[in-house]
Amino acid sequence: MRQYVTITGVALAMTIGAIQAKSQETRPVYADVSRPVEERVEDALARMTLKEKVALCHGQSMFSSAGVPRLGIPELKMSDGPHGVRAEIRWDSFAEAGWANDSCTAFPALTALAATFNPEMAYLYGKVIGEEARYRGKDVLLGPGANIYRTPLNGRNFEYMGEDPLLAATLVAPYVRGVQENGVAACVKHFALNNQECERSSINVLVSERAAREIYLPAFRAAVAGGAWAIMGAYNRAWGEFCCHNERLLTRVLKEEWGFDGAVISDWGGAHDTREAAGKGLDIEMGSRLPFSSYYLADSLLAAVRRGEIAESLVDEKARRVLRLIFRTAMSGERPWGSLATREHAAVARRVAEEGIALLKNERGALPIEAGKVKRVAVIGENATRSLTRGGGSSELKVKQEVSPLEGLRAYFGESVEVVHAAGYRSGEPRYDRELPPPGNADSLRAEAVALAATADAVIFVGGLNKNHRQDCEGADRLHLHLPFGQDALVEALAGVNPRVVVVLLSGNAVSMPWLRRVPAVVQAWYLGSEAGHAIASALGGSVNPSGKLPFSFPARLEDNAAHAYGEASYPGVDGAVTYAEGILVGYRWHDARGIRPLFPFGHGLSYTSFEYGKMTTDKRSYGSDEVIRARLLLRNKGRRAGAEVVQLYASLPRSGVERAVKELKAFAKVQLEAGETREVALEIPASSLAYWDEAEGSWKVEPGEYLLQAGSSSGDLRQRATVTIL
Ligand code: GLC
């Protein structure tokens, strides 16, 4: 009997083995996840008809593009956005589909991530948002935003990472890596020169090649070098051509020079012509216009190829890139399964938020507000209770939870402190497609808030912008630098009845502060997402020591900003074109060049402790064909509590043969120190990163000379200097 069972078992095993082998043999190469992606791409392409290849190149619903149903190659499912996975959208309009299972974690806006100056945070952020996208079945996450902050009026600055190319480049790459480890493509946007919302779908950006290379392109270049699988073309034009089909940007720079092997996806409705789109670098045309067959890269392209007007090889190149994107995502091998709106994700959202909060001013011991030392705190402002995960445009989210500043403060102080609230002002419902109604009964709201403030030991004003139309929102820019809805007068009135007013600004942009001298403390608290209230309360109460640094300058007046120094031609543009007349002098580069004192400088952020910078020394070593400059100094936490400092290293070439910024950020490091702790901080600058773009040569050039290196706590607080010679 035993022998019979053995024989049967062996026969069975052999039969199963033969079936598996057979299925392995019959499985086509493109479907074999163990084969190299390039082999799979070529195998699939060889099997596809022209019609099937064209179908890959355009949307088939609002947020998906086609696969190859006949071959079992899946479609690509896409979703916004840079701060969280957007609610499910209908197939045929931008309306939400009304699902019950798509509430997400809202992570802090990317300005807050930038304010952490922490690449580890950027990776963690990408990892968890990628997990949420993966769980939601998305193959492409439409983010991060990597456009440079050129004007404080740009409606979408909150989706981007500030005014400095090194900061944005350093953070975008780990974010991309974190997302893509989930088998989800990051789609870095909006490539390129999308630095205003005013006339965004048509404005023609005229900028020097040098400014493009040194300021506006580095973050995208870093994303490509970091392995981004997708790039989104911007709506605007650059040098006369739409960015979604732009020979210079997409073909020459992105694909040929940088070697980008992923897919270029248009912004929604960003393509304008079949021949242009076919020949100038666009791979997938997305949009909101119906029917999808009417897209430039749909039936029109198919017909043009069939008429011999457009070479099929152009379609093949697009199809290759789209197939590569599919095999890296929807049809990849082992992909993690992701997770959605978990406690772990909320914890990451809170960590990024707490690390991004920037303490701009703190005098007379205004902060932290310690429970044992106050009995009543008055929280004033509509932003203390308003949901700020809604609004803003395509980055808006449907969240599982959102802790408001008021809720966070009440949870933080518990029974030990009475936390009372008055709105103080009203702004209206979150809409980004129309101007807001004028606020009603402003006087009585203000009177009520001032009366409450007079009774408190401390006042926390929570104001700022609110992601409504012209208040940090896609599709339109702000019209001025000051706070809306009478907030300036309200803050003055609060300061008139209470000496301890802490102003907390929720925004993604700089604002003017006419009341700054009247208040002892100001905190820039961004749009912090699901855990906003807990993060803000922890920073104000002192359980967290703020360590955020400004990723962009706060000008004292709008005209102090470079984009507003050359008239309308330089912003918002005239006759459909905007000229970046300031060239490379963006942000602090402009302030330095013109000797303009900002309200708060790039890189500024205080702490509840203080740091001492020891003498800086430098040395150099060869690194392949490059040289690496190393700057070292001892950093000491000389206060009584732990804290983190972002040591920033700026480089200058005083006797340069070309126009240069007075100084440029070339390295930074975030260092956590216990009270009294001293640690050596080493910062490295590859000599190649000191190069400028030589327009005559069309290449990067490192000037020999004696470079000045300055280390400090912000661009306006430099503590140590040293020189280094590049031969
Ligand atoms: C929007 C935005 C883009 C977004 C896309 C899809 O117009 O410009 O950032 O990803 O359309 O919503």
Side-chain angles (χ1 to χ4, degrees), residues 160 175 357 406 408 474 620 672:
Y160 306 145
Y175 178 117
I357 290 171
L406 182 61
E474 180 176 339
K620 269 192 309 181
Q672 178 74 31

Side-chain angles (χ1 to χ4, degrees), residues 63 80 86 156 189-190 200 232 235 267 394 474:
F63 284 90
D80 288 311
R86 190 175 184 180
R156 295 187 80 175
K189 65 189 187 181
H190 307 86
R200 69 168 176 168
M232 184 186 294
Y235 278 131
D267 202 338
S394 59
E474 180 176 339

Side-chain angles (χ1 to χ4, degrees), residues 141-421:
L141 180 72
L142 303 171
N147 294 107
I148 287 294
Y149 183 115
R150 176 177 181 255
T151 163
L153 303 187
N154 178 19
R156 295 187 80 175
N157 278 330
F158 70 97
E159 293 186 61
Y160 306 145
M161 291 181 274
E163 72 187 27
D164 183 84
L166 178 79
L167 175 61
T170 305
L171 297 182
V172 72
Y175 178 117
V176 166
R177 182 161 51 84
V179 170
Q180 296 187 165
E181 281 180 358
N182 291 283
V184 174
C187 183
V188 187
K189 65 189 187 181
H190 307 86
F191 191 67
L193 297 157
N194 178 196
N195 308 102
Q196 66 187 57
E197 288 298 288
C198 186
E199 296 180 46
R200 69 168 176 168
S201 56
S202 60
I203 195 80
N204 182 21
V205 175
L206 303 174
V207 61
S208 70
E209 177 77 13
R210 183 177 177 202
R213 294 282 185 163
E214 293 186 22
I215 304 294
Y216 298 100
L217 297 183
F220 292 99
R221 184 181 183 192
V224 170
W229 293 338
I231 291 280
M232 184 186 294
Y235 278 131
N236 53 283
R237 283 180 282 191
W239 307 296
E241 287 192 327
F242 282 104
C243 287
C244 286
H245 26 82
N246 188 300
E247 178 72 19
R248 185 162 159 185
L249 276 176
L250 298 183
T251 305
R252 291 215 304 273
V253 173
L254 180 67
K255 294 182 176 180
E256 291 174 0
E257 187 184 320
W258 294 352
F260 175 64
D261 70 355
V264 174
I265 300 172
S266 77
D267 202 338
W268 267 237
H272 298 271
D273 178 88
T274 294
R275 180 176 299 282
E276 290 289 293
K280 296 184 176 177
L282 183 61
D283 299 307
I284 304 179
E285 177 188 1
M286 295 304 290
S288 55
R289 187 179 81 251
L290 299 180
F292 299 103
S293 58
S294 70
Y295 285 19
Y296 298 99
L297 289 186
D299 291 359
S300 312
L301 175 61
L302 182 59
V305 174
R306 283 175 171 160
R307 290 194 301 269
E309 295 163 5
I310 292 178
E312 183 166 351
S313 60
L314 286 179
V315 177
D316 289 349
E317 176 51 20
K318 297 177 196 303
R320 276 195 183 86
R321 289 173 179 270
V322 180
L323 287 166
R324 191 174 296 131
L325 181 56
I326 292 173
F327 294 153
R328 284 171 166 166
T329 58
M331 201 173 182
S332 71
E334 284 306 305
R335 281 206 283 181
W337 297 107
S339 55
L340 182 66
T342 63
R343 279 199 307 273
E344 292 76 14
H345 292 175
V348 172
R350 181 165 176 172
R351 270 187 69 189
V352 176
E354 289 172 346
E355 271 213 38
I357 290 171
L359 178 58
L360 303 187
K361 178 181 181 183
N362 187 23
E363 294 171 355
R364 305 199 305 262
L367 286 175
I369 297 173
E370 289 168 294
K373 297 178 181 172
V374 294
K375 292 233 172 302
R376 170 182 262 219
V377 170
V379 179
I380 309 294
E382 185 188 68
N383 272 0
T385 57
R386 175 192 201 92
S387 166
L388 289 172
T389 52
R390 280 291 181 186
S394 59
S395 63
E396 77 168 347
L397 298 169
K398 176 165 90 174
V399 295
K400 182 177 176 185
Q401 94 157 359
E402 179 180 3
V403 180
S404 73
L406 182 61
E407 288 164 338
L409 287 161
R410 282 183 166 151
Y412 185 88
F413 286 117
E415 298 308 314
S416 64
V417 179
E418 184 191 12
V419 179
V420 295
H421 174 252

